[in-house]
């Protein structure tokens, strides 16, 4: 049941992943000198979109399936829960669309991790309601609920409220992330991953797995609570105090080792989970090393920081989500893909680390070489993700009407996306006027028409082809009228000819041949 759901939702989730990676690639190329000012991908927008989609797109969506994978393993997952889970995905995907457009059009708050407009948090909270409904549907099937189930329920209830409060620009805590080394925040964020690792290990382990050595997470949790008390009620934390709280994260390492050992898991069973834990260990050790004042001053206080976050998010957190997908779709997310992804992200992080050392004056070489290497690794990463998407959606299409839908989808959805992003650069290059207003509405319409063709590829090809042809005919007539009236220029005539021709191809040659 969950496998079918995941297989259905995977293509759109992969689109968000690829878009986020492309934004990161464009930002890296702009650091090499690419001029993106005539597109929606200016450097600050590209960076913001890249970070936001990595934090809110593909990976958190798939990671949110973790409790339901355990529910299915324990036999309490129902069709009702899956239906609410679908609604949750619908609203979350709508949030990602609104967030992406807001950031591309420059509605940026100037924050490192929560850059989208505050109002969109209400859309996120709304999606959480359906997640809660799905959770409750599964919970009521337990005769006696396990502790992890009750913790999950409390977390889902509290999370939307905390989201609205903490993100508020007037009285929230988000703006405080702009300054300070945040050793205590690192302790808290690292602790938040431990329950996820426990549930992932529980999912893959044999029945009867019990976590041991709880003091290794109780002590850091107590330290985090103490840090909040000191910071909020006594005085701002000193560097040494933050350093102390940061070093409490080292207690997580023997705890994860013990859980892995007791669960009797092997690399071959789930390479993604293995790489995720390995990356967490590496990031923990590296983060504590970077907290040494002398090292931090030289490396981590530059415009270019080391690739610490890339490993933390790009492998540790990312592979948490991918370990779930690997469980259900091992034919797509293979061991080879896990190894390739790990190698590329590590290469990217290494290139950024060396670039940071160059900027700090430790090494005297051309920094452009390492920035270029980062871009190259990112490009290969995009190709790897695109291949997964292609393997998921490819089918043997043999009929002419299916080919018609493919051409419509690629030309309209693909072309519309390209024009939406870079129309401000492409139009002047072709000698056309670009006002930067109504054109974006046209580009959005193109993408929508392309998605009609995509629906035709999923089923009922004849009906969706007829719908797309009707839409195109109406649009063609309006643009032709505006051109002949002198209201719009040559681009209106081209739109009319293109859409009119596409409609005629269906009506004259393909209708009734599905």
């Amino acid at each position: 049941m969950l496998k079918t759901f995941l297989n259905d939702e995977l293509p759109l989730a992969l689109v968000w992943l690829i878009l986020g990676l492309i934004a990161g690639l464009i930002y890296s190329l702009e650091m090499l000198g690419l001029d993106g000012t005539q597109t929606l991908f200016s450097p600050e927008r590209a960076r913001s979109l890249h970070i936001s989609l990595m934090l809110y797109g593909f990976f958190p969506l798939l990671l949110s399936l973790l409790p339901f994978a355990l529910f299915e393993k324990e036999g309490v997952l129902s069709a009702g829960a899956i239906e609410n889970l679908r609604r949750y995905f619908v609203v979350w995907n709508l949030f990602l669309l609104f967030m992406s457009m807001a950031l591309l059009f420059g509605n940026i708050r100037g924050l490192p991790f929560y850059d989208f407009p505050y109002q969109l948090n209400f859309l996120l909270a709304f999606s959480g309601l359906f997640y809660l409904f799905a959770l409750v549907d599964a919970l009521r099937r337990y005769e006696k609920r396990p502790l992890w189930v009750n913790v999950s329920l409390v977390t889902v209830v509290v999370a939307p409220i905390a989201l609205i409060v903490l993100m508020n620009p007037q009285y929230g805590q988000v703006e405080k992330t702009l300054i300070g080394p945040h050793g205590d925040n690192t302790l808290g964020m690292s602790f938040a991953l431990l329950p996820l690792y426990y549930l992932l290990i529980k999912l893959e382990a044999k029945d009867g797995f019990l976590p041991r050595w709880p003091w290794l997470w109780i002590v850091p949790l107590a330290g985090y609570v103490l840090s909040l008390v000191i910071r909020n009620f006594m005085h701002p934390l000193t560097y040494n105090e933050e350093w102390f709280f940061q070093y409490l994260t080292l207690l997580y390492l023997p705890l994860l080792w013990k859980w892995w050992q007791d669960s009797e898991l092997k690399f071959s069973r789930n390479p993604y989970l293995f790489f995720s834990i390995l990356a967490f260990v590496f990031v923990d050790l590296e983060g504590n090393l970077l907290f040494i004042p002398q090292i931090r001053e030289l490396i981590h206080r530059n415009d270019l920081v080391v690739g610490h976050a890339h490993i933390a998010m790009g492998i540790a957190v990312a592979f948490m989500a991918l370990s779930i997908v690997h469980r259900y779709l091992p034919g797509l997310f293979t061991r080879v893909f896990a190894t390739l992804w790990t190698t590329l992200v590590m290469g990217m992080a290494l290139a950024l680390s060396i670039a940071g050392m160059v900027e700090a004056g430790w090494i005297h070489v051309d920094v452009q070489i390492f920035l270029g290497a980062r871009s190259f690794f990112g490009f290969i990463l995009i190709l790897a993700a695109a291949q997964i998407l292609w393997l998921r959606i490819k089918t043997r299409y043999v009929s002419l009407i299916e080919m018609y839908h493919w051409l419509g989808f690629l030309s309209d959805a693909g072309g519309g996306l390209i024009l939406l992003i870079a129309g401000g650069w492409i139009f002047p290059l072709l000698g056309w006027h670009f006002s930067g207003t109504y054109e974006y509405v046209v580009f959005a319409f193109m993408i929508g028409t392309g998605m009609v063709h995509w629906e035709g590829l999923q089923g009922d090809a004849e009906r969706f082809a007829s719908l797309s042809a009707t839409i195109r005919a109406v649009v063609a007539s309006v643009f032709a009228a505006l051109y002949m009236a002198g209201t719009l220029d040559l681009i209106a005539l081209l739109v009319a000819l293109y859409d009119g021709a596409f409609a005629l191809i269906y009506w004259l040659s393909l209708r009734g041949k599905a």
Side-chain angles (χ1 to χ4, degrees), residues 205-227:
K206 298 178 181 178
D207 293 334
F209 163 68
L210 294 174
R212 295 196 288 170
W213 298 3
W215 63 273
L216 288 174
W217 63 262
I218 292 175
V219 172
L221 176 60
Y224 179 59
V225 172
L226 177 61
S227 73

PDB file of all heavy atoms in Angstrom, residues 205-227:
ATOM      1  N   ALA A 205      15.457  -3.230  11.477  1.00  0.00           N
ATOM      2  CA  ALA A 205      15.952  -4.290  12.360  1.00  0.00           C
ATOM      3  C   ALA A 205      14.923  -5.404  12.505  1.00  0.00           C
ATOM      4  O   ALA A 205      13.745  -5.258  12.161  1.00  0.00           O
ATOM      5  CB  ALA A 205      16.303  -3.712  13.732  1.00  0.00           C
ATOM      6  N   LYS A 206      15.381  -6.509  13.056  1.00  0.00           N
ATOM      7  CA  LYS A 206      14.484  -7.606  13.386  1.00  0.00           C
ATOM      8  C   LYS A 206      13.565  -7.177  14.530  1.00  0.00           C
ATOM      9  O   LYS A 206      13.860  -6.273  15.295  1.00  0.00           O
ATOM     10  CB  LYS A 206      15.292  -8.838  13.801  1.00  0.00           C
ATOM     11  CG  LYS A 206      16.202  -9.377  12.703  1.00  0.00           C
ATOM     12  CD  LYS A 206      17.012 -10.560  13.216  1.00  0.00           C
ATOM     13  CE  LYS A 206      17.948 -11.096  12.132  1.00  0.00           C
ATOM     14  NZ  LYS A 206      18.770 -12.228  12.640  1.00  0.00           N
ATOM     15  N   ASP A 207      12.432  -7.856  14.639  1.00  0.00           N
ATOM     16  CA  ASP A 207      11.512  -7.556  15.732  1.00  0.00           C
ATOM     17  C   ASP A 207      12.201  -7.800  17.072  1.00  0.00           C
ATOM     18  O   ASP A 207      12.982  -8.734  17.229  1.00  0.00           O
ATOM     19  CB  ASP A 207      10.264  -8.433  15.628  1.00  0.00           C
ATOM     20  CG  ASP A 207       9.431  -8.080  14.404  1.00  0.00           C
ATOM     21  OD1 ASP A 207       9.529  -6.925  13.953  1.00  0.00           O
ATOM     22  OD2 ASP A 207       8.709  -8.964  13.896  1.00  0.00           O
ATOM     23  N   GLY A 208      11.886  -6.940  18.040  1.00  0.00           N
ATOM     24  CA  GLY A 208      12.469  -7.104  19.363  1.00  0.00           C
ATOM     25  C   GLY A 208      13.647  -6.198  19.632  1.00  0.00           C
ATOM     26  O   GLY A 208      14.237  -6.258  20.711  1.00  0.00           O
ATOM     27  N   PHE A 209      14.001  -5.317  18.671  1.00  0.00           N
ATOM     28  CA  PHE A 209      15.108  -4.388  18.895  1.00  0.00           C
ATOM     29  C   PHE A 209      14.732  -3.393  19.986  1.00  0.00           C
ATOM     30  O   PHE A 209      13.697  -2.733  19.920  1.00  0.00           O
ATOM     31  CB  PHE A 209      15.443  -3.642  17.605  1.00  0.00           C
ATOM     32  CG  PHE A 209      16.275  -2.406  17.820  1.00  0.00           C
ATOM     33  CD1 PHE A 209      17.587  -2.514  18.248  1.00  0.00           C
ATOM     34  CD2 PHE A 209      15.744  -1.141  17.609  1.00  0.00           C
ATOM     35  CE1 PHE A 209      18.359  -1.374  18.455  1.00  0.00           C
ATOM     36  CE2 PHE A 209      16.504   0.002  17.806  1.00  0.00           C
ATOM     37  CZ  PHE A 209      17.816  -0.123  18.232  1.00  0.00           C
ATOM     38  N   LEU A 210      15.566  -3.270  21.004  1.00  0.00           N
ATOM     39  CA  LEU A 210      15.365  -2.338  22.104  1.00  0.00           C
ATOM     40  C   LEU A 210      16.591  -1.439  22.230  1.00  0.00           C
ATOM     41  O   LEU A 210      17.720  -1.938  22.328  1.00  0.00           O
ATOM     42  CB  LEU A 210      15.129  -3.082  23.423  1.00  0.00           C
ATOM     43  CG  LEU A 210      13.842  -3.912  23.527  1.00  0.00           C
ATOM     44  CD1 LEU A 210      13.831  -4.702  24.828  1.00  0.00           C
ATOM     45  CD2 LEU A 210      12.610  -3.017  23.424  1.00  0.00           C
ATOM     46  N   PRO A 211      16.401  -0.110  22.214  1.00  0.00           N
ATOM     47  CA  PRO A 211      17.549   0.792  22.342  1.00  0.00           C
ATOM     48  C   PRO A 211      18.121   0.741  23.758  1.00  0.00           C
ATOM     49  O   PRO A 211      17.377   0.723  24.739  1.00  0.00           O
ATOM     50  CB  PRO A 211      16.957   2.165  22.027  1.00  0.00           C
ATOM     51  CG  PRO A 211      15.516   2.033  22.395  1.00  0.00           C
ATOM     52  CD  PRO A 211      15.125   0.622  22.095  1.00  0.00           C
ATOM     53  N   ARG A 212      19.429   0.727  23.846  1.00  0.00           N
ATOM     54  CA  ARG A 212      20.094   0.687  25.154  1.00  0.00           C
ATOM     55  C   ARG A 212      20.969   1.929  25.336  1.00  0.00           C
ATOM     56  O   ARG A 212      21.097   2.753  24.454  1.00  0.00           O
ATOM     57  CB  ARG A 212      20.940  -0.587  25.271  1.00  0.00           C
ATOM     58  CG  ARG A 212      20.083  -1.867  25.258  1.00  0.00           C
ATOM     59  CD  ARG A 212      20.876  -3.058  25.769  1.00  0.00           C
ATOM     60  NE  ARG A 212      21.895  -3.498  24.813  1.00  0.00           N
ATOM     61  CZ  ARG A 212      22.837  -4.396  25.096  1.00  0.00           C
ATOM     62  NH1 ARG A 212      22.904  -4.912  26.315  1.00  0.00           N
ATOM     63  NH2 ARG A 212      23.722  -4.757  24.183  1.00  0.00           N
ATOM     64  N   TRP A 213      21.557   2.035  26.541  1.00  0.00           N
ATOM     65  CA  TRP A 213      22.417   3.155  26.922  1.00  0.00           C
ATOM     66  C   TRP A 213      21.681   4.499  26.804  1.00  0.00           C
ATOM     67  O   TRP A 213      22.167   5.437  26.169  1.00  0.00           O
ATOM     68  CB  TRP A 213      23.688   3.186  26.084  1.00  0.00           C
ATOM     69  CG  TRP A 213      24.566   1.992  26.237  1.00  0.00           C
ATOM     70  CD1 TRP A 213      24.323   0.877  26.985  1.00  0.00           C
ATOM     71  CD2 TRP A 213      25.837   1.781  25.611  1.00  0.00           C
ATOM     72  NE1 TRP A 213      25.364  -0.020  26.871  1.00  0.00           N
ATOM     73  CE2 TRP A 213      26.312   0.515  26.025  1.00  0.00           C
ATOM     74  CE3 TRP A 213      26.619   2.531  24.737  1.00  0.00           C
ATOM     75  CZ2 TRP A 213      27.520  -0.014  25.616  1.00  0.00           C
ATOM     76  CZ3 TRP A 213      27.831   2.008  24.318  1.00  0.00           C
ATOM     77  CH2 TRP A 213      28.280   0.749  24.757  1.00  0.00           C
ATOM     78  N   PRO A 214      20.497   4.654  27.393  1.00  0.00           N
ATOM     79  CA  PRO A 214      19.727   5.896  27.232  1.00  0.00           C
ATOM     80  C   PRO A 214      20.413   7.125  27.813  1.00  0.00           C
ATOM     81  O   PRO A 214      20.101   8.248  27.412  1.00  0.00           O
ATOM     82  CB  PRO A 214      18.414   5.590  27.959  1.00  0.00           C
ATOM     83  CG  PRO A 214      18.759   4.501  28.937  1.00  0.00           C
ATOM     84  CD  PRO A 214      19.807   3.671  28.264  1.00  0.00           C
ATOM     85  N   TRP A 215      21.339   6.935  28.758  1.00  0.00           N
ATOM     86  CA  TRP A 215      21.996   8.098  29.361  1.00  0.00           C
ATOM     87  C   TRP A 215      22.787   8.891  28.325  1.00  0.00           C
ATOM     88  O   TRP A 215      23.040  10.094  28.503  1.00  0.00           O
ATOM     89  CB  TRP A 215      22.904   7.659  30.510  1.00  0.00           C
ATOM     90  CG  TRP A 215      24.038   6.762  30.106  1.00  0.00           C
ATOM     91  CD1 TRP A 215      24.025   5.401  29.992  1.00  0.00           C
ATOM     92  CD2 TRP A 215      25.358   7.186  29.737  1.00  0.00           C
ATOM     93  NE1 TRP A 215      25.245   4.933  29.574  1.00  0.00           N
ATOM     94  CE2 TRP A 215      26.092   6.014  29.425  1.00  0.00           C
ATOM     95  CE3 TRP A 215      25.999   8.420  29.653  1.00  0.00           C
ATOM     96  CZ2 TRP A 215      27.427   6.050  29.018  1.00  0.00           C
ATOM     97  CZ3 TRP A 215      27.337   8.459  29.264  1.00  0.00           C
ATOM     98  CH2 TRP A 215      28.026   7.280  28.946  1.00  0.00           C
ATOM     99  N   LEU A 216      23.138   8.244  27.208  1.00  0.00           N
ATOM    100  CA  LEU A 216      23.910   8.931  26.173  1.00  0.00           C
ATOM    101  C   LEU A 216      23.073   9.961  25.412  1.00  0.00           C
ATOM    102  O   LEU A 216      23.630  10.824  24.726  1.00  0.00           O
ATOM    103  CB  LEU A 216      24.499   7.916  25.194  1.00  0.00           C
ATOM    104  CG  LEU A 216      25.655   7.071  25.746  1.00  0.00           C
ATOM    105  CD1 LEU A 216      26.063   6.004  24.753  1.00  0.00           C
ATOM    106  CD2 LEU A 216      26.848   7.963  26.092  1.00  0.00           C
ATOM    107  N   TRP A 217      21.746   9.866  25.497  1.00  0.00           N
ATOM    108  CA  TRP A 217      20.928  10.940  24.941  1.00  0.00           C
ATOM    109  C   TRP A 217      20.267  11.778  26.034  1.00  0.00           C
ATOM    110  O   TRP A 217      19.903  12.929  25.792  1.00  0.00           O
ATOM    111  CB  TRP A 217      19.863  10.397  23.989  1.00  0.00           C
ATOM    112  CG  TRP A 217      18.823   9.473  24.566  1.00  0.00           C
ATOM    113  CD1 TRP A 217      18.809   8.124  24.526  1.00  0.00           C
ATOM    114  CD2 TRP A 217      17.607   9.861  25.249  1.00  0.00           C
ATOM    115  NE1 TRP A 217      17.694   7.624  25.143  1.00  0.00           N
ATOM    116  CE2 TRP A 217      16.926   8.668  25.589  1.00  0.00           C
ATOM    117  CE3 TRP A 217      17.046  11.086  25.601  1.00  0.00           C
ATOM    118  CZ2 TRP A 217      15.713   8.686  26.271  1.00  0.00           C
ATOM    119  CZ3 TRP A 217      15.832  11.097  26.278  1.00  0.00           C
ATOM    120  CH2 TRP A 217      15.177   9.898  26.601  1.00  0.00           C
ATOM    121  N   ILE A 218      20.145  11.251  27.234  1.00  0.00           N
ATOM    122  CA  ILE A 218      19.545  12.016  28.331  1.00  0.00           C
ATOM    123  C   ILE A 218      20.459  13.162  28.757  1.00  0.00           C
ATOM    124  O   ILE A 218      20.015  14.292  28.985  1.00  0.00           O
ATOM    125  CB  ILE A 218      19.240  11.087  29.516  1.00  0.00           C
ATOM    126  CG1 ILE A 218      18.123  10.104  29.148  1.00  0.00           C
ATOM    127  CG2 ILE A 218      18.848  11.899  30.742  1.00  0.00           C
ATOM    128  CD1 ILE A 218      17.842   9.071  30.220  1.00  0.00           C
ATOM    129  N   VAL A 219      21.764  12.899  28.847  1.00  0.00           N
ATOM    130  CA  VAL A 219      22.713  13.938  29.255  1.00  0.00           C
ATOM    131  C   VAL A 219      22.727  15.101  28.264  1.00  0.00           C
ATOM    132  O   VAL A 219      22.617  16.271  28.665  1.00  0.00           O
ATOM    133  CB  VAL A 219      24.123  13.341  29.454  1.00  0.00           C
ATOM    134  CG1 VAL A 219      25.147  14.457  29.673  1.00  0.00           C
ATOM    135  CG2 VAL A 219      24.131  12.371  30.631  1.00  0.00           C
ATOM    136  N   PRO A 220      22.852  14.855  26.936  1.00  0.00           N
ATOM    137  CA  PRO A 220      22.788  15.986  26.001  1.00  0.00           C
ATOM    138  C   PRO A 220      21.451  16.726  26.037  1.00  0.00           C
ATOM    139  O   PRO A 220      21.412  17.953  25.911  1.00  0.00           O
ATOM    140  CB  PRO A 220      22.995  15.326  24.632  1.00  0.00           C
ATOM    141  CG  PRO A 220      23.748  14.073  24.923  1.00  0.00           C
ATOM    142  CD  PRO A 220      23.211  13.604  26.243  1.00  0.00           C
ATOM    143  N   LEU A 221      20.346  15.987  26.222  1.00  0.00           N
ATOM    144  CA  LEU A 221      19.052  16.652  26.300  1.00  0.00           C
ATOM    145  C   LEU A 221      18.992  17.581  27.511  1.00  0.00           C
ATOM    146  O   LEU A 221      18.518  18.720  27.411  1.00  0.00           O
ATOM    147  CB  LEU A 221      17.933  15.603  26.384  1.00  0.00           C
ATOM    148  CG  LEU A 221      16.515  16.167  26.557  1.00  0.00           C
ATOM    149  CD1 LEU A 221      16.142  17.071  25.398  1.00  0.00           C
ATOM    150  CD2 LEU A 221      15.505  15.034  26.700  1.00  0.00           C
ATOM    151  N   ALA A 222      19.489  17.104  28.648  1.00  0.00           N
ATOM    152  CA  ALA A 222      19.534  17.954  29.834  1.00  0.00           C
ATOM    153  C   ALA A 222      20.411  19.180  29.592  1.00  0.00           C
ATOM    154  O   ALA A 222      20.098  20.292  30.023  1.00  0.00           O
ATOM    155  CB  ALA A 222      20.045  17.148  31.033  1.00  0.00           C
ATOM    156  N   GLY A 223      21.532  18.972  28.893  1.00  0.00           N
ATOM    157  CA  GLY A 223      22.403  20.092  28.563  1.00  0.00           C
ATOM    158  C   GLY A 223      21.722  21.114  27.676  1.00  0.00           C
ATOM    159  O   GLY A 223      21.884  22.330  27.866  1.00  0.00           O
ATOM    160  N   TYR A 224      20.924  20.630  26.720  1.00  0.00           N
ATOM    161  CA  TYR A 224      20.217  21.553  25.826  1.00  0.00           C
ATOM    162  C   TYR A 224      19.186  22.373  26.599  1.00  0.00           C
ATOM    163  O   TYR A 224      19.073  23.590  26.407  1.00  0.00           O
ATOM    164  CB  TYR A 224      19.546  20.766  24.703  1.00  0.00           C
ATOM    165  CG  TYR A 224      18.782  21.640  23.743  1.00  0.00           C
ATOM    166  CD1 TYR A 224      19.422  22.656  23.037  1.00  0.00           C
ATOM    167  CD2 TYR A 224      17.414  21.458  23.536  1.00  0.00           C
ATOM    168  CE1 TYR A 224      18.726  23.467  22.146  1.00  0.00           C
ATOM    169  CE2 TYR A 224      16.715  22.257  22.655  1.00  0.00           C
ATOM    170  CZ  TYR A 224      17.375  23.262  21.964  1.00  0.00           C
ATOM    171  OH  TYR A 224      16.691  24.068  21.106  1.00  0.00           O
ATOM    172  N   VAL A 225      18.445  21.725  27.494  1.00  0.00           N
ATOM    173  CA  VAL A 225      17.464  22.439  28.311  1.00  0.00           C
ATOM    174  C   VAL A 225      18.168  23.485  29.176  1.00  0.00           C
ATOM    175  O   VAL A 225      17.703  24.622  29.306  1.00  0.00           O
ATOM    176  CB  VAL A 225      16.674  21.448  29.188  1.00  0.00           C
ATOM    177  CG1 VAL A 225      15.789  22.200  30.177  1.00  0.00           C
ATOM    178  CG2 VAL A 225      15.830  20.517  28.315  1.00  0.00           C
ATOM    179  N   LEU A 226      19.302  23.121  29.756  1.00  0.00           N
ATOM    180  CA  LEU A 226      20.072  24.057  30.575  1.00  0.00           C
ATOM    181  C   LEU A 226      20.534  25.249  29.744  1.00  0.00           C
ATOM    182  O   LEU A 226      20.487  26.397  30.203  1.00  0.00           O
ATOM    183  CB  LEU A 226      21.277  23.342  31.188  1.00  0.00           C
ATOM    184  CG  LEU A 226      22.231  24.213  32.022  1.00  0.00           C
ATOM    185  CD1 LEU A 226      21.505  24.824  33.216  1.00  0.00           C
ATOM    186  CD2 LEU A 226      23.436  23.378  32.487  1.00  0.00           C
ATOM    187  N   SER A 227      20.960  24.995  28.504  1.00  0.00           N
ATOM    188  CA  SER A 227      21.423  26.092  27.647  1.00  0.00           C
ATOM    189  C   SER A 227      20.285  27.062  27.347  1.00  0.00           C
ATOM    190  O   SER A 227      20.486  28.283  27.285  1.00  0.00           O
ATOM    191  CB  SER A 227      21.999  25.538  26.342  1.00  0.00           C
ATOM    192  OG  SER A 227      20.980  25.047  25.481  1.00  0.00           O
TER     193      SER A 227
END
